[in-house]
Amino acid sequence: MNSIIKYFDLHQFNNSFEPTLSAELLRVTRSGWYLQGEATANFERAFAAYCGTSYCIGTGNGLDAITLIFLGYQELGLMQEGDEVIVPANTFIATLLGVMRAGLRPVLCEPCPDTCNIDPSLVERLITPRTRALLAVHLYGRLADMEALRSIADKHGLMLVEDAAQAHGAQLTDNSSKGSRQDTDKAPLLRAGGLADAAAFSFYPAKNLGALGDGGAVTTSDSKLASLVRSLGNYGSKEKYIHRYRGVNSRLDELQAAALSVKLPRLDDDNARRRAIVEKYLKGINWERTGLRTTCPHLLPDESNVYHIFPIFSAEREELCQRLTEQGIHTQIHYPIPPHRQQALRATYGSLHLPITERIHREELSLPISPLLTDEEVERIISAINETATRK
Ligand SMILES: *Cc1c(COP(=O)(O)O)cnc(C)c1O
């Protein structure tokens, strides 16, 4: 009997940072200082440098990071309640909820079927006099087409924001900085988080860079926005008991920041291992015979993609999923129901029909992609898929 291959074994993954992880957590536990201290400041400095931005502000989670960016832009007078933000229709619901909680209206744009990311050629027709921003999601770890989005944003005077919750470390491979509006002297490091006016990250435990609970961050090189986001996430206060804005409580805590600082130095290696696993999947799976598809069917994996998720698409998804489960291979679906079809948003989007998005959500199946999968495990998954999908 074959052992089980979990979709993502978090226990194994977090154990691989021992004994340093526990030692750092214990150090914070014993310090008596749990919020807004040295561990958070150190992580924020390291993550800003990693993303190539001037600022990083820790938040309670990724959803809050999105909300705080848009609340910040409203305090800066760049947007007001009821304004529109164009977002991809196929994303995790948090992208939309983050915008809505800030009092703005997400306008849904269909993706490119090849990348599952927002299709820039469909964006302009959605722009109205109330549009204020484009919110790109780097879905599954693949960078959205930031160059095309930047030129649309500039042409129409819109802010460009990244939901980078699935793309920690994703790097632009070309050496231009066209996606970025940063005015820094240094050559910018072209990583997710530094490719737009501001970016939101989540450190949900299973993300490529994950905490041991909830956590998030905003990265930006805009000093005014950075200062507002920090203050809005801290009860609208910069100085204790002086409240300038109606803020919320959304802070990264010292324990989570310490854990993230232990994990950040290995992120590039982990992402490289994810790419190596994808290379095996791309070469090993018999795409033609099985009739399965994936995004951008290149023979070699895209260097800029950090493969938070490796998606395959099948019209017989449920059957394939069940057969793999029977062989001890666990998969997941990202996501079974698109946001506009969720009960929570039915009143907002009603009978909106988005065929590309709906098809992605109907056919997507995510294969295991933990950086700690062994080559043997990857081979077992490939054989199981090739056998299962042929045996009909
Ligand atoms: C995970 C995720 C979020 C939300 O992050 P939380 O930390 O869970 O609030 C937002 N957007 C996308 C695309 C995500 O994958």
Side-chain angles (χ1 to χ4, degrees), residues 25-275:
L25 293 172
L26 195 59
R27 203 175 51 76
V28 173
T29 306
R30 289 180 172 164
S31 75
W33 195 276
Y34 307 112
L35 281 165
Q36 297 176 298
E38 217 171 275
T40 307
N42 286 340
F43 173 71
E44 288 176 339
R45 211 173 304 118
F47 198 60
Y50 180 80
C51 294
T53 58
S54 308
Y55 308 96
C56 167
I57 305 100
T59 62
N61 54 64
L63 175 69
D64 286 351
I66 298 169
T67 304
L68 289 168
I69 290 171
F70 289 102
L71 289 176
Y73 281 138
Q74 288 174 76
E75 292 293 350
L76 286 172
L78 296 172
M79 306 178 187
Q80 57 185 36
E81 206 175 320
D83 281 344
E84 296 168 4
V85 179
I86 297 177
V87 308
N90 70 311
T91 179
F92 178 56
I93 195 169
T95 311
L96 282 73
L97 293 178
V99 171
M100 292 168 129
R101 280 165 80 229
L104 306 174
R105 294 180 39 211
V107 172
L108 305 184
C109 182
E110 284 268 58
C112 298
D114 272 358
T115 63
C116 292
N117 276 333
I118 193 164
D119 184 343
S121 73
L122 302 176
V123 168
E124 272 189 300
R125 69 189 68 168
L126 299 173
I127 295 175
T128 74
R130 302 243 23 203
T131 309
R132 295 289 174 271
L134 308 179
L135 173 53
V137 180
H138 307 305
L139 199 73
Y140 303 151
R142 179 191 299 278
L143 290 178
D145 185 348
M146 298 308 283
E147 196 178 319
L149 295 173
R150 168 51 76 201
S151 73
I152 297 169
D154 284 351
K155 184 173 158 200
H156 297 271
L158 310 174
M159 303 310 292
L160 180 58
V161 178
E162 298 168 77
D163 176 342
Q166 301 191 0
H168 315 72
Q171 212 167 343
L172 270 190
T173 39
D174 86 13
N175 48 13
S176 73
S177 59
K178 288 173 197 142
S180 174
R181 201 194 253 173
Q182 296 170 28
D183 299 312
T184 48
D185 295 329
K186 310 168 278 178
L189 269 172
L190 302 166
R191 276 207 180 97
L195 304 175
D197 298 309
F201 282 94
S202 162
F203 303 122
Y204 176 80
K207 307 286 191 191
N208 288 33
L209 179 62
L212 305 174
D214 279 317
V218 171
T219 54
T220 183
S221 289
D222 177 340
S223 61
K224 287 194 190 113
L225 180 71
S227 149
L228 270 163
V229 165
R230 189 173 294 288
S231 154
L232 286 165
N234 186 37
Y235 292 113
S237 162
K238 268 194 198 114
E239 212 182 311
K240 204 165 188 183
Y241 303 131
I242 310 293
H243 303 273
R244 180 150 173 207
Y245 311 100
R246 254 194 281 170
V248 298
N249 175 5
S250 184
R251 304 175 292 218
L252 185 68
D253 70 63
E254 292 281 287
L255 280 165
Q256 300 306 339
L260 291 166
S261 287
V262 170
K263 292 173 129 190
L264 179 60
R266 220 182 75 191
L267 179 58
D268 284 341
D269 286 346
D270 286 340
N271 285 340
R273 174 63 186 155
R274 286 173 186 263
R275 277 193 287 272

Side-chain angles (χ1 to χ4, degrees), residues 341-356:
R341 285 290 159 94
Q342 295 284 353
Q343 194 177 342
L345 300 181
R346 212 165 277 165
T348 315
Y349 297 104
S351 54
L352 187 64
H353 183 44
L354 298 163
I356 302 172

